[in-house]
Amino acid sequence: MNWGQALLWGFVATIVLSTLLSGSRSMGLTRMDISFMLGTIFTGNRDHAKWLGFLFHLFNGWVFSFIYIAAFISTGWKNIWFGGLIGLVHALFVLIVGMMILPSIHPRMATEQHGPNPTRQLEPPGFLALNYGRHTPLVTLFGHVVFGAILGFFYH
């Protein structure tokens, strides 16, 4: 594995993914704010949560880029299509499994079974994160496919 390339293109792919998700929220396609969701795991301070969550998302992007690149190396396939396919599988896992278990591990998120308590809590994402808008699954799928495609195209 070329660690310099992995760090560079993992960073770029994560920045593009984050920009797509944030832009989609600003355009009203989704209400999901992944930086805020991740940041509120660590702090109840809503202002600090966004930058902490962004840093955590960036770190996670690097971790996942190493997994993608390991898949490229182990299969011998490194192209835009295979990267996009891995991104599709990644997004499906996030939407189907990750979003459903997030409320049970997130200290500031209500669950589907128990609503918010007197302390302000985040709304649970629900299946496919549809509680954050009907376009949320499409935005998430698109962003992760682009993430994988960037790695598949640029990593050498």
Side-chain angles (χ1 to χ4, degrees):
M1 179 177 297
N2 182 331
W3 292 98
Q5 288 276 314
L7 288 171
L8 171 64
W9 295 113
F11 176 79
V12 170
T14 304
I15 293 297
V16 170
L17 170 61
S18 297
T19 302
L20 288 171
L21 293 176
S22 182
S24 296
R25 189 180 68 258
S26 297
M27 292 170 47
L29 296 174
T30 181
R31 292 185 307 107
M32 184 172 70
D33 184 341
I34 195 67
S35 293
F36 185 69
M37 284 172 53
L38 293 173
T40 53
I41 291 172
F42 303 106
T43 181
N45 182 318
R46 298 171 82 81
D47 292 327
H48 293 151
K50 288 196 180 221
W51 67 265
L52 280 172
F54 175 76
L55 292 176
F56 187 63
H57 192 247
L58 180 61
F59 176 77
N60 285 340
W62 270 323
V63 170
F64 278 100
S65 68
F66 297 143
I67 295 169
Y68 283 48
I69 292 166
F72 297 155
I73 292 168
S74 68
T75 62
W77 301 337
K78 190 210 71 67
N79 58 52
I80 195 169
W81 305 111
F82 187 58
L85 179 64
I86 298 171
L88 177 67
V89 171
H90 179 188
L92 287 171
F93 179 81
V94 166
L95 289 168
I96 295 170
V97 178
M99 290 297 172
M100 294 304 290
I101 64 170
L102 184 61
S104 65
I105 60 173
H106 195 300
R108 293 175 185 85
M109 184 176 281
T111 67
E112 296 286 329
Q113 294 76 30
H114 302 95
N117 61 26
T119 306
R120 290 176 23 177
Q121 288 189 322
L122 301 175
E123 178 181 13
F127 180 67
L128 299 177
L130 285 168
N131 290 354
Y132 294 137
R134 65 187 175 118
H135 293 109
T136 301
L138 298 174
V139 166
T140 304
L141 286 166
F142 178 72
H144 284 82
V145 167
V146 170
F147 176 90
I150 288 170
L151 289 172
F153 186 77
F154 288 106
Y155 174 79
H156 297 290

Coordinates of all heavy atoms in Angstrom, one line a residue, residues 21-94:
L21 N -22.6 15.9 0.9 CA -23.6 15.7 2.0 C -24.1 17.1 2.5 O -25.2 17.3 2.7 CB -23.1 14.8 3.1 CG -22.8 13.4 2.7 CD1 -22.2 12.6 3.9 CD2 -24.1 12.7 2.2
S22 N -23.1 18.0 2.8 CA -23.4 19.3 3.3 C -24.2 20.1 2.2 O -25.2 20.8 2.6 CB -22.2 20.0 3.7 OG -22.5 21.3 4.2
G23 N -23.8 20.1 1.0 CA -24.5 20.8 -0.1 C -25.9 20.3 -0.3 O -26.8 21.1 -0.5
S24 N -26.1 19.0 -0.2 CA -27.4 18.4 -0.3 C -28.3 18.9 0.8 O -29.5 19.1 0.6 CB -27.3 16.9 -0.3 OG -26.6 16.4 -1.4
R25 N -27.7 19.0 2.0 CA -28.5 19.5 3.1 C -28.9 21.0 2.9 O -30.0 21.4 3.1 CB -27.8 19.4 4.4 CG -28.6 19.7 5.7 CD -27.8 19.5 7.0 NE -26.8 20.5 7.1 CZ -25.5 20.3 6.9 NH1 -25.0 19.2 6.5 NH2 -24.6 21.3 7.0
S26 N -27.9 21.8 2.4 CA -28.2 23.2 2.1 C -29.2 23.4 1.0 O -30.0 24.4 1.0 CB -26.9 23.9 1.7 OG -26.0 23.8 2.8
M27 N -29.3 22.4 0.1 CA -30.3 22.5 -1.0 C -31.6 21.9 -0.6 O -32.5 21.9 -1.5 CB -29.7 21.7 -2.2 CG -28.5 22.4 -2.8 SD -27.6 21.5 -4.1 CE -29.0 20.9 -5.1
G28 N -31.8 21.4 0.6 CA -33.0 20.9 1.1 C -33.3 19.4 0.6 O -34.4 19.0 0.8
L29 N -32.3 18.7 0.2 CA -32.5 17.3 -0.3 C -32.5 16.4 0.9 O -33.0 15.3 0.8 CB -31.4 16.9 -1.3 CG -31.4 17.7 -2.6 CD1 -30.2 17.3 -3.4 CD2 -32.7 17.4 -3.3
T30 N -31.9 16.8 2.0 CA -31.8 16.0 3.2 C -31.7 16.9 4.4 O -31.2 18.0 4.3 CB -30.6 15.0 3.2 OG1 -30.6 14.2 4.4 CG2 -29.3 15.7 3.1
R31 N -32.1 16.4 5.6 CA -31.8 17.1 6.8 C -30.7 16.5 7.6 O -30.3 17.0 8.7 CB -33.1 17.1 7.7 CG -34.3 17.9 7.1 CD -35.5 18.0 8.0 NE -36.0 16.7 8.4 CZ -35.9 16.2 9.7 NH1 -35.3 16.9 10.6 NH2 -36.3 15.0 10.0
M32 N -30.1 15.4 7.1 CA -29.0 14.8 7.8 C -27.7 15.6 7.8 O -27.3 16.1 6.8 CB -28.7 13.4 7.2 CG -27.7 12.6 7.9 SD -27.5 10.9 7.3 CE -26.7 11.2 5.7
D33 N -27.2 15.9 9.0 CA -25.9 16.6 9.2 C -25.0 15.6 9.8 O -24.9 15.5 11.1 CB -26.1 17.8 10.0 CG -24.9 18.7 10.1 OD1 -23.8 18.2 9.9 OD2 -25.0 19.9 10.5
I34 N -24.2 14.9 9.0 CA -23.3 13.8 9.5 C -22.3 14.4 10.5 O -22.0 13.7 11.5 CB -22.7 13.0 8.4 CG1 -22.1 11.7 8.9 CG2 -21.6 13.8 7.7 CD1 -23.1 10.7 9.4
S35 N -21.7 15.5 10.3 CA -20.8 16.1 11.2 C -21.4 16.4 12.6 O -20.8 16.1 13.6 CB -20.2 17.4 10.7 OG -19.4 17.1 9.5
F36 N -22.6 16.9 12.6 CA -23.3 17.2 13.8 C -23.7 15.9 14.5 O -23.5 15.8 15.7 CB -24.6 18.0 13.5 CG -25.3 18.5 14.7 CD1 -24.7 19.4 15.6 CD2 -26.5 18.0 15.0 CE1 -25.4 19.8 16.8 CE2 -27.2 18.4 16.2 CZ -26.6 19.3 17.0
M37 N -24.2 14.9 13.8 CA -24.6 13.6 14.4 C -23.4 13.0 15.0 O -23.5 12.5 16.2 CB -25.1 12.7 13.3 CG -26.5 13.0 12.9 SD -27.1 12.0 11.5 CE -26.8 10.4 12.0
L38 N -22.2 13.0 14.3 CA -21.0 12.3 14.9 C -20.5 13.2 16.1 O -20.0 12.6 17.1 CB -20.0 12.2 13.8 CG -20.3 11.1 12.7 CD1 -19.2 11.2 11.7 CD2 -20.4 9.8 13.3
G39 N -20.5 14.5 15.9 CA -19.9 15.3 17.0 C -20.7 15.3 18.3 O -20.1 15.3 19.4
T40 N -22.0 15.1 18.2 CA -22.8 15.1 19.4 C -22.6 13.7 20.2 O -23.1 13.6 21.3 CB -24.3 15.3 19.1 OG1 -24.8 14.5 18.1 CG2 -24.5 16.8 18.7
I41 N -22.0 12.8 19.6 CA -21.6 11.6 20.3 C -20.6 12.0 21.4 O -20.6 11.5 22.5 CB -20.9 10.5 19.4 CG1 -22.0 10.0 18.4 CG2 -20.3 9.4 20.2 CD1 -21.4 9.1 17.4
F42 N -19.7 13.0 21.1 CA -18.7 13.3 22.0 C -19.0 14.5 22.9 O -18.3 14.7 24.0 CB -17.4 13.6 21.2 CG -17.0 12.5 20.4 CD1 -17.2 12.6 19.0 CD2 -16.4 11.4 20.9 CE1 -16.8 11.5 18.2 CE2 -16.0 10.3 20.1 CZ -16.2 10.4 18.7
T43 N -19.9 15.4 22.5 CA -20.1 16.6 23.3 C -21.6 17.0 23.1 O -22.2 16.8 22.1 CB -19.2 17.8 22.8 OG1 -19.5 18.9 23.7 CG2 -19.4 18.2 21.4
G44 N -22.1 17.6 24.2 CA -23.5 18.2 24.2 C -23.5 19.6 23.7 O -24.5 20.2 23.5
N45 N -22.3 20.2 23.6 CA -22.1 21.6 23.1 C -22.4 21.5 21.6 O -21.6 21.1 20.8 CB -20.8 22.1 23.4 CG -20.6 23.5 23.0 OD1 -21.0 23.9 21.9 ND2 -20.0 24.3 23.8
R46 N -23.5 22.1 21.2 CA -23.9 22.0 19.8 C -23.0 22.7 18.8 O -22.9 22.4 17.7 CB -25.4 22.4 19.6 CG -26.3 21.5 20.4 CD -27.7 22.1 20.5 NE -28.6 21.8 19.4 CZ -29.2 20.7 19.1 NH1 -29.1 19.7 20.0 NH2 -30.0 20.5 18.1
D47 N -22.4 23.8 19.3 CA -21.4 24.5 18.5 C -20.1 23.7 18.2 O -19.6 23.7 17.1 CB -21.1 25.9 19.1 CG -22.2 26.8 19.1 OD1 -23.1 26.7 18.2 OD2 -22.4 27.6 20.1
H48 N -19.6 23.1 19.3 CA -18.4 22.3 19.2 C -18.6 21.0 18.4 O -17.7 20.4 17.8 CB -17.8 22.0 20.5 CG -17.3 23.2 21.2 ND1 -17.2 23.3 22.6 CD2 -16.8 24.4 20.7 CE1 -16.8 24.5 22.9 NE2 -16.5 25.2 21.8
A49 N -19.9 20.5 18.5 CA -20.2 19.2 17.9 C -19.9 19.2 16.4 O -19.4 18.2 15.9 CB -21.6 18.9 18.1
K50 N -20.1 20.3 15.7 CA -19.9 20.3 14.2 C -18.5 20.1 13.8 O -18.2 19.3 13.0 CB -20.5 21.5 13.6 CG -22.0 21.5 13.6 CD -22.5 22.6 12.6 CE -24.0 22.5 12.7 NZ -24.7 22.6 11.4
W51 N -17.6 20.8 14.5 CA -16.2 20.6 14.1 C -15.6 19.3 14.6 O -14.8 18.7 13.9 CB -15.3 21.9 14.4 CG -15.1 22.2 15.9 CD1 -15.8 23.0 16.6 CD2 -14.1 21.6 16.7 NE1 -15.3 23.0 17.9 CE2 -14.2 22.2 18.0 CE3 -13.0 20.7 16.5 CZ2 -13.4 21.9 19.1 CZ3 -12.2 20.4 17.6 CH2 -12.4 21.0 18.8
L52 N -16.0 18.9 15.8 CA -15.5 17.6 16.3 C -16.0 16.5 15.4 O -15.3 15.5 15.1 CB -16.0 17.3 17.7 CG -15.3 18.0 18.9 CD1 -16.0 17.8 20.2 CD2 -13.9 17.5 19.0
G53 N -17.3 16.6 15.0 CA -17.9 15.6 14.1 C -17.2 15.6 12.7 O -17.0 14.5 12.1
F54 N -16.8 16.8 12.2 CA -16.1 16.8 10.9 C -14.8 16.1 11.1 O -14.4 15.4 10.2 CB -16.0 18.3 10.5 CG -15.1 18.3 9.2 CD1 -15.7 18.0 8.0 CD2 -13.8 18.7 9.3 CE1 -14.9 18.0 6.8 CE2 -13.0 18.8 8.1 CZ -13.6 18.4 6.9
L55 N -14.0 16.4 12.1 CA -12.7 15.8 12.3 C -12.9 14.2 12.4 O -12.1 13.5 11.9 CB -12.0 16.3 13.6 CG -11.6 17.8 13.5 CD1 -11.0 18.2 14.8 CD2 -10.6 18.0 12.3
F56 N -13.9 13.8 13.2 CA -14.2 12.4 13.3 C -14.5 11.7 11.9 O -14.1 10.6 11.6 CB -15.3 12.1 14.3 CG -15.5 10.7 14.7 CD1 -14.5 9.9 15.3 CD2 -16.7 10.1 14.4 CE1 -14.7 8.6 15.6 CE2 -16.9 8.7 14.8 CZ -15.9 8.0 15.4
H57 N -15.4 12.5 11.2 CA -15.7 12.0 9.8 C -14.5 11.9 8.9 O -14.4 11.0 8.2 CB -16.8 12.9 9.2 CG -17.5 12.3 8.0 ND1 -17.3 12.9 6.8 CD2 -18.3 11.2 7.9 CE1 -18.0 12.2 5.9 NE2 -18.6 11.2 6.5
L58 N -13.6 12.9 9.0 CA -12.4 12.9 8.2 C -11.5 11.7 8.6 O -11.0 11.0 7.7 CB -11.6 14.2 8.4 CG -10.3 14.3 7.7 CD1 -10.5 14.3 6.2 CD2 -9.6 15.6 8.1
F59 N -11.4 11.4 9.9 CA -10.6 10.3 10.4 C -11.3 9.0 9.8 O -10.6 8.1 9.3 CB -10.5 10.3 11.9 CG -9.9 9.1 12.4 CD1 -8.5 8.9 12.4 CD2 -10.6 8.0 13.0 CE1 -7.9 7.8 12.9 CE2 -10.0 6.9 13.5 CZ -8.6 6.8 13.4
N60 N -12.6 8.9 10.0 CA -13.3 7.7 9.5 C -13.1 7.5 8.0 O -12.9 6.4 7.5 CB -14.8 7.8 9.8 CG -15.1 7.5 11.2 OD1 -14.3 6.9 11.9 ND2 -16.2 7.9 11.6
G61 N -13.1 8.6 7.2 CA -12.8 8.6 5.8 C -11.5 8.0 5.5 O -11.3 7.2 4.5
W62 N -10.5 8.4 6.3 CA -9.1 7.8 6.0 C -9.2 6.3 6.4 O -8.6 5.5 5.6 CB -8.1 8.4 6.9 CG -7.4 9.6 6.3 CD1 -7.1 9.8 5.0 CD2 -7.0 10.8 6.9 NE1 -6.5 11.0 4.8 CE2 -6.4 11.7 5.9 CE3 -7.1 11.3 8.2 CZ2 -5.9 12.9 6.2 CZ3 -6.6 12.5 8.5 CH2 -6.0 13.3 7.5
V63 N -9.8 5.9 7.4 CA -9.9 4.5 7.8 C -10.6 3.7 6.7 O -10.1 2.7 6.2 CB -10.6 4.3 9.1 CG1 -10.9 2.8 9.4 CG2 -9.8 4.8 10.3
F64 N -11.7 4.2 6.2 CA -12.4 3.5 5.1 C -11.6 3.5 3.8 O -11.7 2.6 3.0 CB -13.8 4.0 4.9 CG -14.8 3.5 5.9 CD1 -15.1 4.1 7.1 CD2 -15.3 2.2 5.7 CE1 -16.0 3.6 8.0 CE2 -16.1 1.6 6.7 CZ -16.5 2.3 7.8
S65 N -10.9 4.6 3.6 CA -10.1 4.6 2.3 C -9.0 3.5 2.4 O -8.7 2.9 1.3 CB -9.4 6.0 2.1 OG -8.4 6.2 3.0
F66 N -8.5 3.2 3.5 CA -7.5 2.1 3.6 C -8.2 0.7 3.3 O -7.6 -0.1 2.7 CB -6.9 2.0 5.0 CG -6.0 3.2 5.4 CD1 -6.0 3.7 6.7 CD2 -5.3 3.9 4.4 CE1 -5.3 4.9 7.0 CE2 -4.5 5.0 4.8 CZ -4.5 5.5 6.0
I67 N -9.4 0.6 3.8 CA -10.2 -0.6 3.5 C -10.5 -0.8 2.0 O -10.3 -1.8 1.4 CB -11.5 -0.7 4.3 CG1 -11.2 -0.7 5.8 CG2 -12.4 -1.8 3.9 CD1 -12.4 -0.5 6.7
Y68 N -10.9 0.3 1.4 CA -11.1 0.3 -0.1 C -9.8 -0.1 -0.8 O -9.8 -0.9 -1.7 CB -11.5 1.7 -0.6 CG -13.0 2.1 -0.3 CD1 -13.6 2.0 0.9 CD2 -13.7 2.7 -1.3 CE1 -14.9 2.4 1.2 CE2 -15.0 3.1 -1.1 CZ -15.6 2.9 0.1 OH -16.9 3.3 0.3
I69 N -8.7 0.6 -0.4 CA -7.4 0.3 -1.1 C -7.0 -1.1 -0.9 O -6.4 -1.8 -1.8 CB -6.4 1.4 -0.7 CG1 -6.8 2.7 -1.2 CG2 -5.0 1.0 -1.1 CD1 -6.1 3.9 -0.6
A70 N -7.2 -1.7 0.3 CA -6.9 -3.1 0.6 C -7.7 -4.0 -0.3 O -7.2 -5.0 -0.8 CB -7.2 -3.4 2.1
A71 N -9.0 -3.6 -0.6 CA -9.8 -4.4 -1.5 C -9.2 -4.3 -3.0 O -9.2 -5.2 -3.7 CB -11.2 -3.9 -1.5
F72 N -8.7 -3.1 -3.4 CA -8.1 -2.9 -4.7 C -6.9 -3.8 -4.8 O -6.7 -4.5 -5.8 CB -7.6 -1.5 -4.9 CG -8.7 -0.4 -4.9 CD1 -8.4 0.9 -4.6 CD2 -10.0 -0.7 -5.2 CE1 -9.4 1.9 -4.6 CE2 -11.0 0.3 -5.3 CZ -10.7 1.6 -5.0
I73 N -6.1 -3.8 -3.8 CA -4.8 -4.6 -3.8 C -5.1 -6.1 -3.8 O -4.5 -6.9 -4.6 CB -3.9 -4.2 -2.6 CG1 -3.4 -2.8 -2.8 CG2 -2.8 -5.2 -2.5 CD1 -2.8 -2.2 -1.6
S74 N -6.1 -6.5 -2.9 CA -6.3 -8.0 -2.8 C -7.0 -8.5 -4.0 O -6.8 -9.7 -4.4 CB -7.1 -8.3 -1.5 OG -8.4 -7.7 -1.7
T75 N -7.8 -7.7 -4.7 CA -8.5 -8.3 -5.9 C -7.7 -8.0 -7.2 O -8.0 -8.7 -8.2 CB -9.9 -7.6 -6.1 OG1 -9.7 -6.2 -6.2 CG2 -10.8 -7.9 -4.9
G76 N -6.8 -7.0 -7.1 CA -6.1 -6.6 -8.4 C -7.0 -5.7 -9.2 O -6.6 -5.4 -10.3
W77 N -8.1 -5.3 -8.8 CA -9.0 -4.4 -9.5 C -8.9 -3.0 -8.9 O -9.3 -2.8 -7.7 CB -10.5 -4.9 -9.5 CG -10.7 -6.2 -10.0 CD1 -10.0 -6.9 -10.9 CD2 -11.8 -7.1 -9.7 NE1 -10.5 -8.1 -11.2 CE2 -11.7 -8.3 -10.5 CE3 -12.9 -7.0 -8.9 CZ2 -12.6 -9.3 -10.4 CZ3 -13.8 -8.0 -8.8 CH2 -13.6 -9.2 -9.6
K78 N -8.5 -2.1 -9.7 CA -8.4 -0.7 -9.2 C -8.9 0.2 -10.3 O -8.1 0.5 -11.2 CB -7.0 -0.3 -8.7 CG -6.9 1.0 -8.0 CD -5.6 1.7 -8.2 CE -5.4 2.3 -9.5 NZ -6.2 3.4 -10.0
N79 N -10.1 0.5 -10.3 CA -10.7 1.4 -11.3 C -11.9 2.1 -10.7 O -12.3 1.8 -9.6 CB -11.0 0.6 -12.6 CG -12.0 -0.5 -12.3 OD1 -13.1 -0.2 -11.7 ND2 -11.7 -1.7 -12.8
I80 N -12.4 3.1 -11.4 CA -13.5 3.9 -11.0 C -14.7 3.1 -10.7 O -15.4 3.4 -9.8 CB -13.7 5.0 -12.0 CG1 -14.6 6.1 -11.4 CG2 -14.3 4.5 -13.3 CD1 -14.6 7.4 -12.3
W81 N -15.0 2.1 -11.5 CA -16.2 1.3 -11.3 C -16.1 0.4 -10.1 O -17.1 0.3 -9.4 CB -16.4 0.4 -12.6 CG -16.4 1.3 -13.8 CD1 -15.5 1.3 -14.8 CD2 -17.4 2.3 -14.1 NE1 -15.9 2.3 -15.7 CE2 -17.0 2.9 -15.3 CE3 -18.6 2.7 -13.5 CZ2 -17.8 3.9 -15.9 CZ3 -19.3 3.7 -14.1 CH2 -18.9 4.3 -15.3
F82 N -15.0 -0.3 -9.9 CA -14.9 -1.1 -8.7 C -14.9 -0.2 -7.4 O -15.6 -0.6 -6.4 CB -13.6 -1.9 -8.7 CG -13.5 -3.0 -7.6 CD1 -14.5 -3.9 -7.4 CD2 -12.5 -3.0 -6.7 CE1 -14.4 -4.8 -6.4 CE2 -12.4 -3.9 -5.7 CZ -13.4 -4.8 -5.6
G83 N -14.3 0.9 -7.4 CA -14.3 1.9 -6.3 C -15.7 2.3 -6.1 O -16.2 2.4 -4.9
G84 N -16.5 2.6 -7.1 CA -17.9 3.0 -7.0 C -18.7 1.9 -6.4 O -19.6 2.1 -5.6
L85 N -18.4 0.7 -6.8 CA -19.2 -0.5 -6.3 C -18.9 -0.7 -4.8 O -19.9 -1.0 -4.1 CB -18.8 -1.8 -7.1 CG -19.5 -3.0 -6.7 CD1 -21.0 -3.0 -6.9 CD2 -18.9 -4.2 -7.4
I86 N -17.7 -0.6 -4.4 CA -17.4 -0.6 -3.0 C -18.1 0.5 -2.2 O -18.7 0.2 -1.2 CB -15.9 -0.6 -2.7 CG1 -15.2 -1.8 -3.4 CG2 -15.6 -0.6 -1.2 CD1 -13.6 -1.6 -3.3
G87 N -18.1 1.7 -2.8 CA -18.9 2.8 -2.2 C -20.4 2.5 -2.1 O -21.0 2.9 -1.1
L88 N -20.9 1.9 -3.1 CA -22.3 1.5 -3.0 C -22.6 0.5 -1.9 O -23.6 0.7 -1.1 CB -22.8 0.9 -4.4 CG -24.2 0.4 -4.5 CD1 -25.2 1.5 -4.4 CD2 -24.4 -0.4 -5.8
V89 N -21.8 -0.5 -1.8 CA -21.9 -1.5 -0.7 C -21.7 -0.8 0.7 O -22.5 -1.0 1.6 CB -20.9 -2.7 -0.9 CG1 -20.9 -3.6 0.4 CG2 -21.3 -3.4 -2.1
H90 N -20.8 0.1 0.8 CA -20.5 0.8 2.0 C -21.7 1.7 2.4 O -22.2 1.6 3.5 CB -19.3 1.7 1.8 CG -18.9 2.6 2.9 ND1 -17.9 3.5 2.8 CD2 -19.3 2.7 4.2 CE1 -17.7 4.2 4.0 NE2 -18.6 3.6 4.8
A91 N -22.3 2.4 1.4 CA -23.5 3.2 1.7 C -24.7 2.4 2.1 O -25.4 2.8 3.0 CB -23.8 4.1 0.5
L92 N -24.9 1.3 1.4 CA -26.0 0.4 1.8 C -25.8 -0.1 3.2 O -26.8 -0.1 4.0 CB -26.1 -0.8 0.8 CG -26.6 -0.4 -0.5 CD1 -26.5 -1.6 -1.5 CD2 -28.1 0.0 -0.5
F93 N -24.6 -0.5 3.6 CA -24.4 -0.9 5.0 C -24.7 0.3 6.0 O -25.3 0.1 7.0 CB -22.9 -1.4 5.2 CG -22.6 -1.8 6.6 CD1 -23.0 -3.1 7.0 CD2 -22.0 -0.9 7.5 CE1 -22.8 -3.5 8.3 CE2 -21.7 -1.3 8.8 CZ -22.1 -2.6 9.2
V94 N -24.2 1.5 5.7 CA -24.4 2.6 6.5 C -25.9 2.9 6.7 O -26.4 3.1 7.8 CB -23.7 3.9 6.0 CG1 -24.2 5.1 6.6 CG2 -22.2 3.8 6.1

